Amino acid sequence: PIGSLPSIPGRPPDIASLPSGCSFHPRCAFSEELCSSETPVLGDGSDHRAACFFSDKVARSTNVAFDIRPVTDGHTATEPLLSVEELHVRYGGRRRLFERRADVIRAVDGVTFSVRPGETLGLVGESGCGKTTTARAILGLVEPSAGAIRFRGNDMAGLTPTEMRRARKEMQAVFQDPYGSLNPRKTVERIVASPLEVHGGFTRQEIRERVRDLLRLVSLGHELLDRYPAALSGGQRQRVGIARALALEPAMLILDEPLSALDVSIHAHILNLLRDRQDRLGISYLLIAHDLAAVRHLADRVAVMYLGRIVELGDRDDVYSRPAHPYTKALLSAVPIPDPAASRDDQIVLQGDLPDIGDRTVGCRFASRCFRAEPQCLEVEPDLQGDGRSCACLFPLVGMSGGAAEQR
């Protein structure tokens, strides 16, 4: 189907019970009878070698082409499922001994966005810009300093414990650290079954069958059911976290770097799985990632974050093809080209490191690294402006008029 990535069928074999012959033959599109009985060796005498009986056939094959699924227009007329308004999260505030003032770290500094039913919002930006803190505040793991978070129109801050429990059932998360988010004292079966047991309504047999189905969805074998997180690889732990998050078929999934620990062979499968679950169940995603290619594949809209604030927000195709903020353009230009011989004339190398998140000066917070900065940028901090397509820049790269982007 349109929007599906080409992926390797099957799942990686258990290293304790490898198949006979070539270890890859159960998943190989070029496999023949010889592959299941004999093990190929890595040839010699050449700079490019492959342990395959039919490497010449593989070399003649062409790459599989795929299309990026178009953005669905139906989201624009729907009330938001999740609404974040002027969210602030601050840390610190206590004065240290012999210091005149206390340092306040503004991890999130006035973030506003919404996610509609069945929509994916991609949240991108450099490490330390506040993406994960925003997600943790939405989940109630960090207390906001100011602002409002509404889920299905209800203010999360005013929910009773019973209402919060119901909201948690509908809003699940995949965390950035796949090991820290799994209980080391529980087996894989108990971890994936936890949401089903906590929220009830399932028999023991239904839970057992559901857990096996979920592991199959994320390409994990039943032999892992009795293993503990310490016995799993990073990619396997991440997939256990994804299976747990999908257990209750929530209305909203917050995905904090869900692909960072995955093998390349599993990467496309998980992206296709997330898209399939969204098509079937109407799940909404808040996708936090550094992988701009994955965001482009899965997201409907993209928000670009810098030092605690969103500096650009718009439809995926507009943001990727006509970036309005200089920071967005610099991020996109940093994406590598899969050709070592190719060169990029449009690559923008930002000077300096990301400023200290507690250091707030007058003016645009990106001005010290911006290749288009003017004296005015050091005096005025721009607000996020625009209808549909928004940008926080005094001198945007494209014209912002009624949400339409016009190239300058």
Side-chain angles (χ1 to χ4, degrees):
I2 293 178
S4 293
L5 293 172
S7 60
I8 302 174
R11 57 183 176 83
D14 184 3
I15 198 169
S17 56
L18 293 175
S20 60
C22 175
S23 300
F24 186 61
H25 87 264
R27 309 174 69 196
C28 182
F30 301 91
S31 177
E32 297 190 12
E33 187 176 352
L34 174 66
C35 303
S36 61
S37 58
E38 297 186 25
T39 303
V41 296
L42 191 65
D44 53 15
S46 172
D47 292 334
H48 188 180
R49 295 174 286 174
C52 178
F53 294 119
F54 307 102
S55 56
D56 57 335
K57 186 192 302 184
V58 176
R60 292 196 302 269
S61 67
T62 57
N63 293 328
V64 179
F66 64 93
D67 298 319
I68 296 177
R69 180 178 138 171
V71 174
T72 304
D73 295 331
H75 302 309
T76 57
T78 310
E79 288 296 321
L81 177 68
L82 173 70
S83 179
V84 178
E85 301 171 5
E86 286 297 320
L87 178 65
H88 293 258
V89 178
R90 304 186 186 98
Y91 297 109
R94 292 185 179 181
R95 190 174 61 183
R96 298 174 183 174
L97 190 64
F98 304 121
E99 289 187 352
R100 292 187 176 182
R101 64 182 181 86
D103 291 332
V104 177
I105 298 176
R106 298 175 175 86
V108 180
D109 198 15
V111 165
T112 297
F113 62 83
S114 63
V115 184
R116 297 177 175 85
E119 180 186 40
T120 299
L121 176 68
L123 187 60
V124 303
E126 291 171 284
S127 297
C129 69
K131 304 185 300 297
T132 295
T133 303
T134 299
R136 292 174 64 85
I138 293 171
L139 292 166
L141 303 177
V142 170
E143 185 177 355
S145 304
I149 301 170
R150 292 183 172 84
F151 184 70
R152 293 196 184 279
N154 299 314
D155 192 340
M156 298 287 284
L159 297 183
T160 65
T162 301
E163 292 170 335
M164 178 61 77
R165 184 187 182 95
R166 192 179 302 119
R168 287 268 173 84
K169 181 179 180 180
E170 292 194 274
M171 185 190 297
Q172 294 288 302
V174 176
F175 296 95
Q176 186 172 7
D177 180 3
Y179 187 70
S181 63
L182 302 181
N183 190 332
R185 295 180 176 86
K186 287 187 176 183
T187 63
V188 168
E189 184 174 21
R190 291 291 309 281
I191 289 170
V192 179
S194 294
L196 304 172
E197 296 171 345
V198 168
H199 293 282
F202 302 92
T203 66
R204 184 166 297 182
Q205 181 61 29
E206 288 173 339
I207 291 176
R208 189 176 296 113
E209 292 176 357
R210 178 67 174 153
V211 168
R212 281 161 173 74
D213 290 341
L214 288 165
L215 291 184
R216 193 180 305 114
L217 272 178
V218 297
S219 293
L220 290 176
H222 296 168
E223 67 274 5
L224 301 183
L225 285 169
D226 296 326
R227 294 188 188 177
Y228 292 88
L232 305 178
S233 68
Q236 288 173 328
R237 294 171 192 156
Q238 190 70 295
R239 281 179 279 162
V240 170
I242 294 172
R244 179 181 59 183
L246 291 171
L248 294 170
E249 297 184 347
M252 178 90 198
L253 258 184
I254 296 179
L255 306 166
D256 190 0
E257 291 288 351
L259 307 172
S260 59
L262 298 183
D263 302 328
V264 175
S265 63
I266 300 298
H267 200 124
H269 171 78
I270 295 300
L271 279 175
N272 290 339
L273 169 64
L274 293 173
R275 178 65 82 182
D276 177 71
R277 296 292 93 184
Q278 188 172 58
D279 290 341
R280 291 173 181 267
L281 305 174
I283 301 176
S284 299
Y285 298 136
L286 175 61
L287 174 62
I288 299 171
H290 291 112
D291 188 343
L292 297 181
V295 172
R296 185 173 190 178
H297 176 73
L298 198 60
D300 297 298
R301 292 187 299 136
V302 177
V304 182
M305 200 166 178
Y306 186 80
L307 277 185
R309 297 195 69 182
I310 291 178
V311 296
E312 183 166 355
L313 175 63
D315 288 342
R316 175 200 66 198
D317 294 339
D318 279 344
V319 172
Y320 275 78
S321 62
R322 296 182 298 277
H325 198 281
Y327 178 62
T328 307
K329 187 174 180 64
L331 279 183
L332 294 174
S333 75
V335 177
I337 299 174
D339 183 356
S343 60
R344 297 191 64 160
D345 297 331
D346 62 339
Q347 187 166 15
I348 300 169
V349 180
L350 296 178
Q351 302 299 320
D353 297 325
L354 194 70
D356 191 311
I357 201 165
D359 184 18
R360 289 290 181 265
T361 56
V362 177
C364 173
R365 58 194 68 199
F366 184 60
S368 63
R369 305 173 73 196
C370 183
F371 57 92
R372 285 171 56 89
E374 301 283 347
Q376 186 180 354
C377 301
L378 301 175
E379 302 172 358
V380 179
E381 182 168 25
D383 294 324
L384 192 66
Q385 296 180 343
D387 182 14
R389 177 78 183 277
S390 307
C391 177
C393 183
L394 298 176
F395 306 100
L397 300 173
V398 298
M400 310 296 294
S401 177
E406 180 181 331
Q407 191 73 38
R408 284 185 177 178

